[in-house]
Structures are given as C-alpha cells and as structure tokens.
Amino acid sequence: MAVADSSPDVDNTLPEALQFCSPAPLVDIGANLTHESFNKNLEATLARARMAGVNTLIVTGTDLQHARQALALAEKHPGLYATAGIHPHDASHWSAELSSAMAELHQKNKVVAVGECGLDFNRNFSTPAEQERAFEAQLELAASSRLPLFIHERDAGQRMVEILKAWRDDISQAVVHCFTGQRDTLYRYLDLDLHIGLTGWICDERRGHHLRELVADIPLTRLMVETDCPYLLPRNLPEKLKGRRHEPALLPWIVREIAHWQGISESELARATTATALTFFGLEAPHLMNNVEDINHG
C-alpha cells in the first residue's frame, strides 16, 4: 500500500494537469478522511472533490475512534456518509463493550454500512482466529441492523467465501472493497451476489495488471469505485503530485482507467457506478435519480 504524506502543509491546490472533472457525478465509496494528512486542509480537499464531480463520499470507519470521527464529518458536511466497524488489523481488541458501541453507531442516520471489517491473512496484525471472531460478530451486527457490509479481504479469499456463504441469507448486501484478488476469487464473490470496489490499484502496472483482464467480467450493477485515500495514489496521473497523498478529486482518473478496460465510455461507467452505489448504500440524491432509473431499468 502506498505511503501517505502526513505533513500538515500539503498544497491546497492540484496541478492543473490533474484537475479533471468527471463527465457524470461520482460516489467515492472508500475515503479515509479521518487520516491525519487531511487535518489541515479538509475543507479544500472536499471543495476539490466537488469540482472534480465527486459529490458523494463514504468516509471509512476502521475502529471505534475513527468511526466516531467519520460520523462527525458526515454529520457536518453534506454529501458525506460514514461506515463503522473494526478492521481485521485491530480484531484482537474486539469485546462486548465494543460490540455495543458499534451497534449504537449503526443506528445513526449517516452511518450507511458495517465495516471496514473482514480478514487480512497477509499481515496478521491480529491472529486469524481473532479476525474471524471479530468478523463474525460484525456479520451479526449487519444482520440485525440490515446495513450493508464494507469488507476488507487480503490473501483470505477462500476463508472469506466460506464464512460469507454461511451468512449470505442473513445479511443484506456486501461489497469487497479495494478488490485485488484473482479471477477465481472474483467469480466466487459474484456468485454470492457481492459487490466489488475497485481502486487505483488497477492503475499500477507493477501489481494491478491482472485486474485489467477481469474488469469486463464485473457487471455494472455490481461495480463501485473508490480512492481508498490517502493510500493507493494512481500511477496513471499525467503529472507527479507533491507528496504521495491520494484524495477524492483524483477519482476520475481511476474511472478513466476502469472504463478503458471495461470497453465503455467514462460517462457510462460514472453513471453506472454512481447508480449502483446509491442503491447499495440506500442514499437519496434527487439530482441523480434519473440516472439511477436509467441504469437500473435500461
């Protein structure tokens, strides 16, 4: 994962070559705006996102502190929503008290998903057993709240599929965010009617090239886009960015790359992924609803 520039003096403007507006409004389903690198210029970051056509952002809550911060941002800024969950890296901290605190957050109107939760057998900052325990507990929270799941999976596709199969009838919807897996894992997720989130990983010729062959296999009604900022700065940018901090205003560059490998226009991909995201998270966006109806009934 890319290193984010956490310095407080990140420029408040993007180079002109990177100021690219999407041909249709976008939803960034994974933005880590509670990261310290956004502390000094969040307002400017959000303004740049709007100028780029990124009108709706889902702010990721990866532990109790950051979930509460994500909710506070969502309640303050129009167009922002939050998730609330425990990342597998922090699964060892799961407790009854934490479960109750998460359940309380899931009742808030601006919290639209349970997560980021899941399994990460690559780093194992928490043991696999601890991760599975915390993940199943959050599956139970998703089942009781009827909120969709925002899932993290890395090097754990087989076990993830096994667990989700057992829970699939109990949960509403789920998205595997920042998908970087192989073809067989993708097909197994799609067979479970899961959604797929794609990031700037596909723009990285060093490690994301295998995704380019898989993109066209993902139905537009199952595909969403995200930055996962401040991480995963796209490598297809026409100009280098000072520092290495990714931000929502750069999402159109990811959409451009995905659209190329999908074999469709950027406008079509933007409209489709936005329609899918609005439906998935149960969001109302009156200025976009005609596009949603066109996509869902076309």
Side-chain angles (χ1 to χ4, degrees):
M1 184 172 285
V3 176
D5 185 346
S6 60
S7 62
D9 59 344
V10 176
D11 286 347
N12 283 336
T13 59
L14 288 174
E16 185 175 354
L18 302 185
Q19 296 177 21
F20 170 31
C21 183
S22 171
L26 292 173
V27 178
D28 184 348
I29 70 161
N32 298 290
L33 295 181
T34 63
H35 189 275
E36 61 182 0
S37 64
F38 293 110
N39 287 350
K40 297 295 184 179
N41 64 355
L42 180 62
E43 295 288 346
T45 299
L46 295 177
R48 288 193 296 272
R50 289 190 292 270
M51 290 180 62
V54 186
N55 296 346
T56 305
L57 299 97
I58 312 298
V59 184
T60 312
T62 56
D63 57 30
L64 183 58
Q65 176 186 356
H66 288 95
R68 286 172 170 166
Q69 291 175 359
L71 174 60
L73 290 179
E75 290 179 334
K76 180 179 179 180
H77 299 281
L80 268 59
Y81 300 87
T83 74
I86 298 298
H87 193 284
H89 290 346
D90 296 315
S92 60
H93 302 304
W94 189 262
S95 65
E97 293 76 17
L98 190 51
S99 178
S100 296
M102 285 292 165
E104 183 176 344
L105 285 173
H106 296 155
Q107 298 304 310
K108 303 296 185 180
N109 289 336
K110 281 276 190 161
V111 173
V112 294
V114 174
E116 178 176 358
C117 59
L119 305 174
D120 191 315
F121 293 170
N122 177 272
R123 298 186 177 182
N124 283 322
F125 290 150
S126 294
T127 68
E130 290 169 333
Q131 292 182 46
E132 291 188 22
R133 172 174 168 265
F135 183 42
E136 295 231 32
Q138 291 175 92
L139 283 165
E140 186 172 347
L141 290 175
S144 61
S145 68
R146 304 309 297 165
L147 288 175
L149 279 158
F150 190 77
I151 294 175
H152 172 104
E153 181 268 302
R154 190 174 185 185
D155 293 351
Q158 180 175 344
R159 186 63 183 131
M160 177 66 73
V161 168
E162 292 170 353
I163 293 174
L164 289 176
K165 271 187 177 179
W167 281 88
R168 191 63 188 90
D169 291 340
D170 300 306
I171 60 176
S172 58
Q173 297 286 359
V175 58
V176 181
H177 110 96
C178 189
F179 178 80
T180 59
Q182 302 299 319
R183 185 184 302 273
D184 59 341
T185 303
L186 173 64
Y187 287 175
R188 295 174 78 184
Y189 285 151
L190 293 176
D191 285 345
L192 287 172
D193 287 332
L194 305 187
H195 288 68
I196 304 296
L198 292 181
T199 64
W201 193 280
I202 195 174
C203 305
D204 190 335
E205 77 288 351
R206 303 166 303 173
R207 56 186 180 176
H209 57 86
H210 73 285
L211 290 178
R212 298 169 179 178
E213 301 174 359
L214 303 180
V215 167
D217 294 338
I218 306 173
L220 292 179
T221 54
R222 292 284 157 183
L223 178 62
M224 294 183 277
V225 294
E226 53 181 317
T227 56
D228 200 26
C229 63
Y231 313 108
L232 301 180
L233 183 69
R235 286 174 59 86
N236 66 338
L237 301 179
E239 182 174 324
K240 288 187 177 181
L241 190 62
K242 181 181 179 181
R244 297 181 64 190
R245 193 193 74 171
H246 194 9
E247 64 174 84
L250 299 174
L251 185 60
W253 295 101
I254 298 172
V255 168
R256 169 167 287 184
E257 188 76 18
I258 297 171
H260 171 75
W261 296 105
Q262 269 269 359
I264 61 177
S265 69
E266 295 166 41
S267 177
E268 183 179 355
L269 183 70
R271 290 187 299 111
T273 57
T274 292
T276 298
L278 293 177
T279 300
F280 180 89
F281 291 107
L283 304 181
E284 294 184 3
H287 61 294
L288 299 176
M289 289 311 294
N290 288 338
N291 286 339
V292 174
E293 293 170 0
D294 290 344
I295 293 298
N296 289 340
H297 296 96

